[in-house]
C-alpha cells in the first residue's frame, strides 16, 4: 500500500498486536488510533466532536505520515484529499480523514487476506 513501507507496516502490526482479534470493528481500531472523533456534548448542546484524549500515539504516528506520503504515490489518495480540501477542510483535517479512509482499507486487507489494489479513478462526467 502506498505510504506503508516495510518499517511503517511492521510498526502498525506491532501496535495492533499482530492481528485484528483485539478489535471488534474498524471503528474501534480507528478510535484506538485517534482517527475517529468522539463527542464532547453538554446538556442540550450536541455535535461537538474532538480527538479522543486516550489513544495509541504510536499508531497515530504510523498512520498520519503514511497518509501524507501516499499523497505523492497514490492518485486515489490525492483525489480524496483534494475533495476534502474543496469541502473547506484544513490540511490537517483532510489528512486525518485520508488516514481514516486508509485504515478502513487496511482493515479490509487484513480481514480478507487480500493484497492492495489501487482503485481506478472514476472517469469525469462529460457535460451534455
Amino acid at each position: 500500500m502506498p505510504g506503508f513501507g516495510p518499517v511503517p507496516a511492521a510498526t502498525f502490526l506491532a501496535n495492533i498486536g499482530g492481528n485484528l482479534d483485539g478489535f471488534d470493528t474498524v471503528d474501534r481500531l480507528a478510535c484506538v488510533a485517534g482517527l475517529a472523533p468522539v463527542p464532547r456534548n453538554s446538556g442540550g448542546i450536541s455535535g461537538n466532536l474532538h480527538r479522543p484524549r486516550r489513544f495509541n500515539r504510536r499508531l497515530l504516528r504510523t498512520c498520519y505520515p503514511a497518509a501524507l506520503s501516499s499523497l505523492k504515490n497514490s492518485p486515489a489518495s490525492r483525489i480524496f484529499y483534494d475533495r476534502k480540501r474543496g469541502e473547506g477542510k484544513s490540511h490537517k483535517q483532510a489528512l486525518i480523514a485520508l488516514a481514516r479512509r486508509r485504515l478502513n482499507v487496511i482493515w479490509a486487507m487484513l480481514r480478507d487476506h487480500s493484497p492492495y489494489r489501487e482503485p481506478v479513478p472514476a472517469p469525469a462526467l462529460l457535460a451534455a
Side-chain angles (χ1 to χ4, degrees):
M1 179 174 220
F4 272 100
V7 174
T11 306
F12 177 82
L13 288 174
N15 283 309
I16 65 168
N19 56 26
L20 299 174
D21 294 340
F23 308 99
D24 297 333
T25 63
V26 69
D27 298 331
R28 180 67 184 134
L29 177 60
C31 187
V32 168
L35 295 173
V38 295
R40 183 188 286 169
N41 299 331
S42 175
I45 299 172
S46 64
N48 297 320
L49 300 175
H50 68 94
R51 188 167 58 184
R53 291 184 183 192
R54 295 175 52 194
F55 61 93
N56 187 331
R57 281 160 176 73
R58 288 184 184 137
L59 194 53
L60 180 65
R61 276 186 255 141
T62 302
C63 295
Y64 191 86
L68 185 61
S69 175
S70 75
L71 291 177
K72 295 180 278 186
N73 303 322
S74 172
S77 294
R78 174 52 77 174
I79 290 169
F80 181 81
Y81 173 82
D82 291 339
R83 188 177 78 220
K84 289 297 176 183
R85 291 289 292 182
E87 292 173 3
K89 305 282 187 203
S90 69
H91 167 71
K92 187 174 182 179
Q93 290 172 326
L95 206 54
I96 288 174
L98 176 61
R100 170 62 193 265
R101 182 178 182 121
R102 292 170 54 81
L103 191 66
N104 290 344
V105 172
I106 291 170
W107 173 272
M109 288 170 48
L110 292 173
R111 180 195 62 207
D112 300 338
H113 304 289
S114 63
Y116 177 76
R117 291 185 308 262
E118 182 74 24
V120 179
L125 297 175
L126 299 174

